[in-house]
């Protein structure tokens, strides 16, 4: 556990999704298959809080997010969220929308690689959770739908209008966020929304293999790369170069960099420690 974790303990059990850790690989399995893993208020809150805790645990080097059954995540539950939102005043609604956005912010700022293993439909908030992940492995039957306008809301939600144009370009992002139509895995890969598309039967093994590669690699280097990718999105070139220069100088003092040189000199594979 991080020495900078204060009094509150690390949460042992998460009630609103399945959470496991195995040899550095954490897995969140959204677990409402009868509703295509639709999100509730509690699922949002637990995701936000888990992502805040992960860097402090000390036993997680990569996170995999997937869904149980035939869907990844169909977005907010119509009955349990949208129905309840109709009864709320503006202040409560703003509290809710800030909470959903906090999940995406935490996904991007958590210094741990995140893999979305998209096993079926990823719609609404589910599509944004996948979008905010670092890697998107799609089953061939997977589909994306940024369907916020389909329910009479702005297509820009949870940071989607910030993240999606940077991934697929403004023109395609406009189409996806404004029209809200489903796109299949093939098109998602073509436009750069999918990292890789695999047969449905291979999704779990492909996600496991990528997670294992990341967990066994130089965790500090991976985490720092993610942080810089996120921070440099809005920097000018000179600022980015200076930030990278400072960061590289710091990492040159890290144990993993010294381990690389020792391993190279000895003709063996590096034994990464993430330090």
């Amino acid at each position: 556990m991080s020495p900078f974790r204060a009094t509150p303990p690390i949460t042992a059990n998460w009630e609103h999704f399945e959470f496991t850790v195995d040899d550095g690989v954490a897995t969140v399995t959204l677990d409402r298959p009868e509703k295509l893993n639709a999100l509730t208020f509690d699922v949002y809150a637990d995701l936000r809080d888990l992502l805040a805790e992960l860097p402090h645990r000390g036993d997680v080097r990569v996170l995999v997010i997937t869904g149980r059954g035939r869907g990844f995540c169909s977005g907010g539950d119509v009955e349990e969220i949208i129905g309840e939102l109709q009864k709320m005043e503006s202040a409560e609604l703003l509290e809710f929308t800030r909470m959903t956005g906090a999940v995406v912010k935490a996904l991007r700022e958590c210094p741990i690689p995140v893999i979305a293993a998209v096993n079926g439909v990823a719609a609404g908030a589910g599509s944004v959770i996948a979008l905010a992940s670092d890697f998107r492995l799609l089953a061939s039957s997977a589909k994306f739908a940024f369907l916020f306008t389909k329910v009479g809301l702005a297509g820009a939600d949870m940071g989607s209008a910030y993240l999606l144009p940077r991934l697929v370009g403004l023109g395609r992002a406009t189409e996806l966020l404004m029209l809200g139509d489903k796109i299949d895995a093939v098109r998602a890969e073509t436009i750069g929304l999918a990292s890789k598309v695999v047969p449905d039967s291979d999704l779990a093994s492909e996600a496991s293999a990528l997670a294992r590669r990341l967990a066994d690699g130089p965790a500090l280097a991976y985490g720092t790369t993610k942080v810089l990718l996120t921070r440099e999105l809005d920097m000018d070139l000179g600022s980015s170069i200076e930030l990278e220069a400072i960061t590289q100088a710091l990492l040159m003092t890290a144990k993993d960099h010294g381990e690389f040189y020792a391993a190279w000199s000895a003709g063996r594979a590096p034994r990464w420690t993430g330090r």
Side-chain angles (χ1 to χ4, degrees):
M1 187 182 298
S2 167
F4 303 111
R5 177 73 179 180
T7 302
I10 295 294
T11 306
N13 297 299
W14 297 91
E15 297 181 9
H16 302 290
F17 44 70
E18 181 181 297
F19 177 72
T20 60
V21 179
D22 181 17
D23 195 18
V25 178
T27 303
V28 165
T29 304
L30 301 175
D31 196 15
R32 304 181 74 218
E34 72 284 357
K35 291 199 172 184
L36 296 178
N37 302 311
L39 301 171
T40 65
F41 294 121
D42 290 332
V43 176
Y44 274 120
D46 269 3
L47 281 172
R48 175 200 61 198
D49 296 345
L50 170 66
L51 289 161
E53 284 194 8
L54 283 183
H56 300 284
R57 290 180 57 100
D59 62 347
V60 174
R61 293 190 171 196
V62 59
L63 171 65
V64 178
I65 303 176
T66 192
R68 191 173 308 285
R70 60 190 180 88
F72 176 74
C73 175
S74 59
D77 189 294
V78 174
E79 294 176 350
E80 296 195 32
I81 287 188
I82 297 179
E84 291 301 311
L85 295 178
Q86 306 302 305
K87 309 170 188 176
M88 294 183 184
E89 300 293 336
S90 297
E92 292 177 293
L93 294 170
L94 181 57
E95 185 177 0
F96 167 70
T97 53
R98 282 176 171 163
M99 177 177 70
T100 65
V103 173
V104 171
K105 187 171 184 287
L107 278 167
R108 293 310 313 146
E109 295 189 348
C110 179
I112 293 172
V114 179
I115 301 167
V118 184
N119 53 305
V121 65
S127 64
V128 186
I129 288 172
L131 172 65
S133 300
D134 301 296
F135 300 90
R136 285 160 298 281
L137 298 183
L138 270 60
S140 56
S141 63
K143 291 180 174 60
F144 275 95
F146 297 86
L147 47 65
F148 303 108
T149 60
K150 299 281 190 180
V151 300
L153 296 175
D157 193 20
M158 297 172 62
S160 59
Y162 179 89
L163 294 171
L164 191 59
R166 288 164 169 79
L167 195 64
V168 304
L170 178 60
R172 290 191 178 104
T174 300
E175 173 194 345
L176 296 178
L177 295 181
M178 196 171 292
L179 299 180
D181 294 337
K182 286 183 180 178
I183 63 168
D184 61 21
V186 172
R187 184 164 186 235
E189 185 175 35
T190 299
I191 66 176
L193 185 54
S195 305
K196 187 177 183 180
V197 175
V198 301
D200 287 32
S201 59
D202 294 345
L203 180 64
S205 61
E206 288 279 350
S208 178
L210 177 56
R212 185 78 267 140
R213 176 179 176 182
L214 291 166
D216 290 344
L220 181 60
Y222 291 154
T224 303
T225 301
K226 175 176 179 174
V227 169
L228 292 186
L229 283 167
T230 300
R231 296 302 177 201
E232 291 183 40
L233 283 173
D234 300 311
M235 286 185 178
D236 59 70
L237 178 60
S239 299
S240 293
I241 288 174
E242 179 64 10
L243 178 59
E244 291 180 9
I246 293 170
T247 303
Q248 289 293 58
L250 178 63
L251 263 64
M252 286 172 184
T253 69
K255 291 181 179 179
D256 272 354
H257 185 60
E259 167 60 13
F260 158 76
Y261 186 71
W264 179 82
S265 300
R268 59 172 175 81
R271 293 186 286 268
W272 307 114
T273 63
R275 297 287 185 268

